[in-house]
Amino acid sequence: MTAPRRLRRSRSGVFAAALALAAGVLTATAATAPPAAALTAPVGFTADNLTTYQTNGIVWALAEANGVVYAGGTFTGVRPAGTPAGSSTTPAVNFAAFNAATGAPTGCSLSFTRSSGTATVRAFALSPDRSTLYAGGYFNAVNGTSANGLVAINTANCTLRSGFAPSFGATVRALDVAADGTVYAGGDFQTVGGQARHFFGAVTATGAVTAWNPDADDPGRTLKVTPDGRNVLIGGDFFTVGGADSHALAVTDSASGALTRAYTGNFIPSTAVIKDIVTDTASDGWYVAGEGAGGASFDGRLAMALGTFDQRWRDTCQGATQALRVYQGVLYAGSHVHDCSTMGGFPNQVRKHLTAQSVDNPAMLGWLPDTNDGIGEPVGPRALTVASRDGRDFLWVGGEFTTVNGVAQQSLTRFANTPDTGAPSVPAASASAPRTGEVKVSWRSSLDLDDSRLTYRVYRDGGSTPVYTTQGSSLFFSRPQLTFTDTDVVAGRTYSYRITASDGTNTSALSAAVSVTAATSARPYPERVLADGADLYWRYDEAGGAFAADASAGDDGGVYMNTPTYRAAPSAVAGSTALSLNGTDEYVYSDRLHHYTSPTPYSIETWFRTNTTSGGRIVGFGNNIGTDQGHTSSISDKLLYMTDDGRLAFGVQVGSTSSRPTLTTSDSYNDNVWHHAVATQGPSGMRLYVDGVAVGSNTTAGNRSYNGYWRVGGDAMTTGWPNRPTSTYFAGQVDETAIYPSALTAAQVAAHHDLADAPPGPGDTTTTVTLAPDDDAYVNSVAANTNYNDNQLASRGTTAYLSYLRFTVPAAPAGQVLKSARLAFRTSSDSTAGSTDSHTVVPVTGTWTESAVTYNTRPSLSSTVLGTITGATSVSTDYSVGLNASALGGALGSVYSLAVASNGTDSLRIWSSEVSTAAYRPQLVLTFGAE
């Protein structure tokens, strides 16, 4: 049971300002948070895709009637979920019907064909009584019966309704039915029943052409009759309606087609078209889907008022919205959204295809199942519909995708309102001891595709009861750091932590354990960084993974990209480790979007070491987080970078101009030695410091105002930067990176540099020694001749248990004496481990050996009581008992044994030094100070 001794030096003085930063940090005594719900309101569907038949081509249209979902498109067959293309296919020519609750075909079979060209079904609409399904597209026969672009289907028996035979001159792309049975259509046609109807027209329930004639100049893509029946909302490619300007969107009179409301003046940019319109009486709104070309176009959603036809809000994300549906106050969208930076959301990144937002607010909600782009253009989803059957509601999705949530599934999928079966991702955690008397546990919030608000539970040292519970919200592009500050720690003792995330129904697996030793002394460098107000402080002490913990109160965690080399040594600051970057694609970015408004002051601080001759960005601010082409920053400033010849440069961009004031050192620093760099900008201008000394300044107080992310290790750099390095990624090591919301003074910078390896100050030095037992065992009077040398110790009066622990106690350091002592231990997981009785710690005066001691050979004990254990009533819990330092003083420099005994009847069981988890083992903690 021999274990090494660990010595730590400590400072009794702690910066008051650093401690003040801890105010407001959640601690173990914080109130338990309420449980999370399975779905985060107002989301109404889970993100768990259900087993659903597939098609072998694109689904363009969906509709639901009486628990049956109809799919129309360009396909020739359907097959079961999980079946690869080309096998187990049942013929279904451009039309299929499915049970909404099972996802299986119903047997309704209609074949939409053409004598020449490729037939397709592009639009559905239902009569008000849901007895008739209208299907439009590009076809001239259904089950061999002549039909020209629009048919009526009896939903009761899946037959064509006789006598309804309108003739459309080209593809029908949009349909809706009014309360009086009028069928409105939009598409590529210019005639209906032989009459001129440019891109929009209507027929009665019997198929006769009506007077409705918006007379657009380009194709119609979508339309919707307003709930009051007085108007028809139309969308498409057009620029004029009835000869008047109204690009892509218009409100028309439902009888004549005359303009009720035009949208001019670039309301819809000329490069955009409208793909879908839905109405929702509950929110008194109608909602519009845009598809545009270019960053200045319109790709998102509009929320419009039914009463006034005015805009309520506009979603400016980019990503070609194709389909919309409203369900219980939430607008669900099919698109390939990839850039929401203009909305204060994520920058240009990989595409997301299914999203949700409140009808009252364009902000993205926590519902993010996903498809791929698929075949065709490709853009992913093309159609949405909501269905109800067997007491459940379903959101059906059709399109040209070939995967759903990463699994092969072609063109059809569906989601239900219950049950939620998807667990959140496992939290990524980190633990540190930035100050004496506390351990800080930080983690990156988890991701759950239908639950943005999750409950987190922190477990310590393998315990089954959480020591802390809290809630936090996250989205795929915003996963904030959460923090628990554990103040119930013993200096010098090692603690481990694991975390789970729960949506109230499903709970993630425990995170990987993270361990840290509670500080035995003040840590001058990090405490000064915190005291001076850093609101981002990455120390790079993680052993791996993607999460870079922020040691500051800002909780501004980072994300490690492309697996840099962790825990590099030697580090710049004692007691920490560094991060090695390859200079090609490894970097760290802040997991939080920041907005800087010029001329807000700031400071950048980092340590670096390199011998590169290709330069690189060390720290900078940019408007993107990725590495790939198109996903790096198109805007960057506040850059600290190295030139090819090893000089250090600090530059900003002034507004959106080409001006980039830059300070560049005359000396080179690519000498493979650690250097301290600080760049500040404030009202008096820019300053650059290296190794605690100012090396350049100017009077530039302004920079560029924009949303962005801090990045360490690399990003794009335009050729406009002075002495632009060959590589924009940094090859070398970084350590102790901090960002401040102020311009550090020269004195602060010098102090930071000097504290990097500073010894404790005079007069406040203590030495803490943490000892593990050389030997330990216990005896049991019931089995008086049995030796108990296992992973537990025990104490009780009747029937008697006694425990023995032996330590090699060092002599006091020169000029110091023993100031305090304590025995730290953890109760075992045995259900009877806790004790309501008192247990005394006394010296052992007799001899004993770990492998042979029994109750009958037990050693004699001293009558001196060194300490009394009280209140150790819980299992799997850490406790400590203070010991009489004066009485222990005579044992310094010797091998010394202690016993734990009791006169009571309630046993105490604690882990011994045989237990496999080191943090559970007993420890004797001695603190020495000046005489």
Side-chain angles (χ1 to χ4, degrees):
M1 292 189 184
T2 302
R5 295 180 293 167
R6 299 190 300 276
L7 282 77
R8 300 287 186 267
R9 300 187 66 82
S10 66
R11 294 181 81 179
S12 59
V14 179
F15 294 104
L19 289 176
L21 286 175
V25 173
L26 300 171
T27 66
T29 58
T32 300
L39 296 178
T40 301
V43 169
F45 294 107
T46 79
D48 310 317
N49 56 296
L50 303 175
T51 301
T52 308
Y53 260 64
Q54 313 171 69
T55 69
N56 62 357
I58 299 172
V59 172
W60 295 101
L62 291 171
E64 182 269 347
N66 311 313
V68 175
V69 171
Y70 301 93
T74 312
F75 52 84
T76 61
V78 298
R79 66 186 190 276
T83 303
S87 61
S88 303
T89 299
T90 301
V93 182
N94 302 318
F95 177 89
F98 303 92
N99 182 306
T102 67
T106 64
C108 173
S109 179
L110 296 172
S111 179
F112 288 71
T113 59
R114 282 193 64 82
S115 54
S116 64
T118 302
T120 185
V121 174
R122 290 300 182 106
F124 287 137
L126 285 155
S127 63
D129 63 2
R130 310 183 81 75
S131 66
T132 303
L133 173 70
Y134 294 93
Y138 185 59
F139 50 85
N140 58 20
V142 178
N143 281 6
T145 300
S146 178
N148 203 351
L150 179 65
V151 295
I153 303 166
N154 296 309
T155 58
N157 57 16
C158 191
T159 60
L160 292 184
R161 196 178 81 202
S162 61
F164 183 81
S167 177
F168 284 79
T171 305
V172 173
R173 297 182 179 273
L175 291 172
D176 198 20
V177 185
D180 65 0
T182 301
V183 182
Y184 294 87
D188 299 344
F189 54 86
Q190 298 203 46
T191 62
V192 179
Q195 298 184 43
R197 292 292 186 270
H198 298 154
F199 307 112
F200 291 96
V203 297
T204 66
T206 61
V209 179
T210 76
W212 187 70
N213 184 14
D215 192 26
D217 65 337
D218 268 321
R221 303 268 189 170
T222 182
L223 56 81
K224 195 71 177 175
V225 180
T226 57
D228 62 9
R230 297 171 59 184
N231 293 282
V232 181
L233 314 167
I234 64 172
D237 300 9
F238 52 84
F239 287 85
T240 65
V241 176
D245 290 342
S246 191
H247 173 52
L249 188 66
V251 183
T252 67
D253 180 82
S254 61
S256 67
L259 269 173
T260 301
R261 172 70 178 268
Y263 295 94
T264 59
N266 209 43
F267 185 81
I268 303 298
S270 61
T271 52
V273 299
I274 298 303
K275 300 299 290 286
D276 199 12
I277 297 172
V278 296
T279 59
D280 177 48
T281 54
S283 62
D284 191 34
W286 53 291
Y287 303 90
V288 178
E291 176 184 286
S297 192
F298 173 59
D299 261 0
R301 273 79 69 190
L302 294 176
M304 311 288 285
L306 278 170
T308 64
F309 304 122
D310 291 336
Q311 176 181 304
R312 294 206 317 251
W313 53 255
R314 180 180 291 242
D315 178 324
T316 58
C317 293
Q318 295 180 22
T321 307
Q322 302 296 309
L324 302 172
R325 277 297 179 272
V326 175
Y327 174 79
Q328 295 184 355
V330 174
L331 180 65
Y332 295 88
S335 71
H336 58 259
V337 60
H338 58 90
D339 187 349
C340 286
S341 56
T342 57
M343 296 273 291
F346 57 94
N348 189 32
Q349 290 294 300
V350 296
R351 293 176 168 188
K352 301 293 181 181
H353 298 87
L354 293 168
T355 58
Q357 55 207 146
S358 167
V359 293
D360 299 319
N361 190 323
M364 188 174 289
L365 297 175
W367 185 78
L368 283 161
D370 203 11
T371 72
N372 66 350
D373 287 342
I375 59 178
E377 286 189 41
V379 296
R382 291 285 191 174
L384 304 174
T385 197
V386 174
S388 298
R389 187 160 182 163
D390 298 342
R392 299 169 72 194
D393 294 339
F394 302 88
L395 177 69
W396 280 69
V397 182
E400 53 195 0
F401 49 86
T402 57
T403 67
V404 178
N405 288 339
V407 177
Q409 173 72 18
Q410 186 171 356
S411 298
L412 279 174
T413 190
R414 62 202 176 97
F415 306 90
N417 59 338
T418 185
D420 180 15
T421 60
S425 64
V426 178
S430 179
S432 62
R435 300 184 179 93
T436 53
E438 67 181 46
V439 164
K440 184 173 183 178
V441 185
S442 302
W443 64 97
R444 190 186 189 201
S445 50
S446 297
L447 181 62
D448 191 327
L449 296 181
D450 48 32
D451 302 289
S452 56
R453 187 161 184 80
L454 302 173
T455 296
Y456 299 88
R457 295 177 175 89
V458 181
Y459 300 87
R460 188 172 76 171
D461 293 340
S464 59
T465 301
V467 295
Y468 180 64
T469 301
T470 192
Q471 285 191 339
S473 294
S474 59
L475 294 168
F476 82 92
F477 60 89
S478 177
R479 296 174 61 182
Q481 174 176 307
L482 299 172
T483 298
F484 159 57
T485 301
D486 190 353
T487 57
D488 185 21
V489 295
V490 177
R493 184 161 190 157
T494 300
Y495 297 89
S496 68
Y497 301 86
R498 303 182 78 181
I499 303 165
T500 62
S502 175
D503 62 17
T505 300
N506 311 286
T507 300
S508 75
L510 284 161
S511 68
V514 291
S515 299
V516 67
T517 301
T520 58
S521 62
R523 297 182 173 178
Y525 185 89
E527 290 195 3
R528 184 59 183 267
V529 169
L530 297 174
D532 283 343
D535 57 8
L536 181 157
Y537 183 20
W538 297 338
R539 304 203 69 201
Y540 310 118
D541 289 339
E542 288 74 29
F547 174 56
D550 178 12
S552 82
D555 279 340
D556 197 355
V559 179
Y560 292 116
M561 293 297 293
N562 300 314
T563 318
T565 302
Y566 306 93
R567 292 192 172 178
S571 61
V573 174
S576 181
T577 58
L579 185 73
S580 284
L581 301 166
N582 64 3
T584 302
D585 62 358
E586 295 172 353
Y587 62 102
V588 193
Y589 72 83
S590 59
D591 209 11
R592 179 187 301 166
L593 184 68
H594 298 261
H595 180 75
Y596 278 88
T597 302
S598 177
T600 301
Y602 63 92
S603 297
I604 302 167
E605 177 176 41
T606 197
W607 291 77
F608 68 91
R609 184 174 74 156
T610 186
N611 59 2
T612 184
T613 56
S614 300
R617 277 182 51 152
I618 304 174
V619 184
F621 193 69
N623 69 340
N624 212 322
I625 58 178
T627 310
D628 298 336
Q629 181 78 20
H631 296 166
T632 54
S633 294
S634 59
I635 302 173
S636 290
D637 84 328
K638 297 179 271 293
L639 300 187
L640 182 66
Y641 62 96
M642 178 167 280
T643 65
D644 286 355
D645 58 4
R647 293 180 296 152
L648 203 61
F650 167 43
V652 301
Q653 184 177 4
V654 179
S656 57
T657 71
S658 60
S659 175
R660 290 177 171 84
T662 302
L663 305 173
T664 306
T665 65
S666 56
D667 292 338
S668 295
Y669 298 97
N670 56 346
D671 53 5
N672 214 29
V673 173
W674 280 111
H675 294 286
H676 178 234
V678 177
T680 72
Q681 189 178 24
S684 61
M686 300 168 61
R687 300 286 186 275
L688 177 61
Y689 303 83
V690 181
D691 295 333
V693 178
V695 294
S697 65
N698 63 29
T699 59
T700 302
N703 49 65
R704 187 161 185 175
S705 303
Y706 64 102
N707 293 329
Y709 306 83
W710 287 106
R711 291 176 55 137
V712 174
D715 196 1
M717 291 180 68
T718 67
T719 56
W721 290 100
N723 301 300
R724 179 182 181 271
T726 300
S727 171
T728 59
Y729 285 80
F730 179 69
Q733 295 178 347
V734 291
D735 198 7
E736 307 292 326
T737 302
I739 305 296
Y740 302 79
S742 63
L744 294 177
T745 66
Q748 288 173 312
V749 172
H752 290 202
H753 175 260
D754 294 344
L755 285 171
D757 197 25
D764 63 355
T765 300
T766 62
T767 302
T768 298
V769 179
T770 301
L771 308 173
D774 299 330
D775 304 287
D776 56 15
Y778 80 95
V779 298
N780 179 358
S781 63
V782 174
N785 291 314
T786 301
N787 170 251
Y788 290 90
N789 178 23
D790 56 26
N791 64 3
Q792 292 192 53
L793 302 175
S795 171
R796 184 172 64 196
T798 307
T799 54
Y801 296 145
L802 295 96
S803 291
Y804 309 103
L805 303 95
R806 178 180 289 117
F807 300 90
T808 300
V809 182
Q816 294 184 334
V817 296
L818 184 65
K819 293 290 190 178
S820 65
R822 64 178 52 244
L823 179 67
F825 60 90
R826 182 181 180 86
T827 53
S828 76
S829 58
D830 190 291
S831 61
T832 63
S835 177
T836 58
D837 290 338
S838 297
H839 300 259
T840 56
V841 181
V842 299
V844 177
T845 56
T847 60
W848 62 282
T849 58
E850 178 184 75
S851 60
V853 65
T854 67
Y855 185 80
N856 283 340
T857 63
R858 65 189 185 277
S860 55
L861 307 180
S862 169
S863 60
T864 301
V865 175
L866 297 175
T868 301
I869 299 169
T870 58
T873 57
S874 298
V875 303
S876 300
T877 303
D878 288 313
Y879 294 99
S880 65
V881 55
L883 303 180
N884 187 320
S886 299
L888 277 174
L892 298 179
S894 69
V895 177
Y896 189 69
S897 291
L898 302 173
V900 181
S902 175
N903 293 320
T905 57
D906 189 14
S907 63
L908 172 71
R909 291 182 178 272
I910 68 175
W911 294 116
S912 75
S913 58
E914 296 284 359
V915 71
S916 59
T917 303
Y920 296 178
R921 299 168 187 167
Q923 296 175 328
L924 180 62
V925 183
L926 307 177
T927 300
F928 300 91
E931 298 183 33

